[in-house]
Amino acid sequence: MTTTELSDLERHFERTIEHDLRVEPRDWVPDEYRATLIRQIAQHAHSEIIGMQPEGNWITRAPSLRRKAILLAKVQDEAGHGLYLYSAAETLGADRGELTQRLISGKQKYSSIFNYPTLTFADVGVIGWLVDGAAICNQVPLCRCSYGPYARAMIRICKEESFHQRQGYELLMTMMRGTKAQRQMVQDATDRWWWPSLMMFGPPDGDSPNTAQSMAWKVKRHTNDELRQRFVDMTVPQAEALGVTLPDADLAWNQERASYDFGEIDWSEFKQVLRGNGPCSAQRVAHRKRAHDEGAWVREAAAAHARKHREAVAVA
Ligand code: BYC
């Protein structure tokens, strides 16, 4: 490619971003833009798939047929989200098998939140309320991401996440109307999941190496701290309506900022989890590896079927 052709392509890419248009799979993009998107979309996909484990843990122990059916459907939705996202990464030239290998070998991350255990059924409700709530806050702006396939996948995912959040909140409302022991379970789960939910938004802006470039490319539309604040402001009134206390003595309305102030996040815990030292990190990755290994025959059978189909079409 000549220098003139390259600069024409670069100009076209820059204009697309500048005018808030969508970049599509056939468009020329800088290598770094492609690499950033593959990194983010793959890690997002891994999070959805690993995210099936903490809640999946409760499917066989759900307290009623209705709760079991709801939970089963929710966990299946997460699998679907993972599939849309891996497909979006494939449009950028990534190989799905390779991405899975990167997850299993620890070369690629998945959300820190899924390295914590689900100790009681109240955790299922709190994951819906706080974890899916945080996911919605983070993901709604991604519906306007500059890369078309990712943005379109996010529209559908956000609709489903919003349903998940409501089911979690409804479960908790039901438990809060129950016995004292049930109310304590909800409070205990809230205490355990609050801080890890705030960590989902990523490191503080000053320590976030990727934000500035991702914002310039309109991959990210807001910084990590902006979205974290939005989540806190949205969630405090929900906690009040539910009748639980958020475990932060510094949480207070700030009239001047028209937002809630909140306490210092333990970033050393976040760093430990990212290094693979979270309470369930080893278990989550080992389980994913086992499921992948046990699914080898399915992938082989699907590939053989596709090959036969291609051969039959070629003969016809
Ligand atoms: N956990 O420069 P930064 C769900 C990494 S699924 C682990 O700010 P960026 C759900 C980050 O990757 C939820 N790692 O990065 C599923 C980077 O490392 P690398 C998942 C984290 O990309 C099932 C480094 O730290 N959501 O909701 O600009 C059931 C520096 O960070 C975390 C998404 O993936 C973390 N929390 O911003 C229920 C959303 N935070 O890659 C619910 C899409 C940061 O350089 N992703 N890191 O090695 C994003 O919006 C952005 O990638 C992030 C991070 C805000 C997460």
Side-chain angles (χ1 to χ4, degrees), residues 6-313:
L6 185 62
S7 59
D8 279 352
L9 291 170
E10 277 169 346
R11 262 198 302 279
H12 181 263
F13 172 77
E14 275 158 21
R15 264 202 308 273
T16 305
I17 302 288
E18 192 188 327
H19 294 293
D20 260 332
L21 299 169
R22 289 276 155 81
V23 176
E24 295 297 339
R26 282 185 206 145
D27 295 340
W28 179 91
V29 295
D31 290 345
E32 299 77 16
Y33 178 84
R34 187 182 303 281
T36 276
L37 276 165
I38 292 177
R39 175 186 64 79
Q40 178 165 328
I41 299 173
Q43 295 188 148
H44 193 166
H46 300 330
S47 306
E48 298 283 356
I49 299 296
I50 295 271
M52 295 166 72
Q53 292 184 38
E55 290 173 283
N57 178 36
W58 279 93
I59 291 173
T60 55
R61 293 176 290 160
S64 69
L65 182 60
R66 178 170 171 265
R67 292 290 172 200
K68 193 193 285 278
I70 293 171
L71 186 55
L72 196 59
K74 182 186 189 265
V75 173
Q76 279 179 342
D77 282 353
E78 313 298 356
H81 298 173
L83 298 187
Y84 312 151
L85 290 164
Y86 283 126
S87 299
E90 282 175 327
T91 67
L92 289 153
D95 178 83
R96 192 165 139 190
E98 222 166 83
L99 297 180
T100 302
Q101 283 310 328
R102 281 169 168 251
L103 165 68
I104 288 170
S105 63
K107 286 198 184 113
Q108 263 180 349
K109 301 183 174 78
Y110 58 90
S111 183
S112 50
I113 193 77
F114 301 117
N115 292 303
Y116 293 87
T118 39
L119 303 181
T120 72
F121 197 69
D123 290 40
V124 170
V126 169
I127 288 179
W129 172 38
L130 296 181
V131 176
D132 288 283
I136 292 165
C137 248
N138 168 262
Q139 293 173 16
V140 164
L142 293 175
C143 298
R144 293 187 296 115
C145 162
S146 57
Y147 188 59
Y150 190 29
R152 288 189 287 275
M154 290 318 304
I155 293 172
R156 182 157 176 188
I157 291 176
C158 284
K159 284 188 179 151
E160 293 180 352
E161 295 289 16
S162 146
F163 184 68
H164 294 171
Q165 203 244 2
R166 281 155 198 247
Q167 73 77 35
Y169 199 71
E170 189 270 342
L171 192 164
L172 297 177
M173 293 281 262
T174 307
M175 288 188 80
M176 291 303 281
R177 285 195 300 268
T179 63
K180 190 169 172 228
Q182 284 176 307
R183 282 192 290 279
Q184 274 167 353
M185 275 165 70
V186 175
Q187 183 60 59
D188 168 63
T190 305
D191 291 346
R192 285 182 289 105
W193 288 92
W194 174 248
W195 292 106
S197 298
L198 295 189
M199 294 174 196
M200 279 177 77
F201 294 91
D205 292 349
D207 297 330
S208 164
N210 300 304
T211 294
Q213 183 59 77
S214 288
M215 298 265 291
W217 278 327
K218 297 183 181 167
V219 171
K220 284 169 84 165
R221 295 295 189 142
H222 304 278
T223 71
N224 299 353
D225 286 333
E226 283 166 5
L227 293 174
R228 193 172 3 255
Q229 181 70 61
R230 191 179 283 187
F231 173 70
V232 171
D233 292 347
M234 179 184 98
T235 309
V236 173
Q238 294 172 358
E240 280 164 10
L242 196 57
V244 293
T245 314
L246 295 172
D248 180 358
D250 295 326
L251 198 60
W253 178 251
N254 182 323
Q255 191 66 41
E256 226 166 84
R257 292 197 308 118
S259 266
Y260 284 91
D261 290 334
F262 55 96
E264 189 57 35
I265 294 170
D266 181 357
W267 291 112
S268 62
E269 176 180 321
F270 177 72
K271 284 182 191 149
Q272 275 302 320
V273 174
L274 257 59
R275 277 191 211 114
N277 299 326
C280 300
S281 305
Q283 179 190 332
R284 298 286 185 246
V285 175
H287 185 81
R288 181 71 196 94
K289 182 177 178 335
R290 197 163 52 246
H292 185 67
D293 291 347
E294 286 172 3
W297 70 271
V298 179
R299 291 189 296 279
E300 277 162 29
H305 178 75
R307 201 168 45 244
K308 273 191 199 162
H309 184 71
R310 268 198 311 274
E311 283 163 8
V313 169

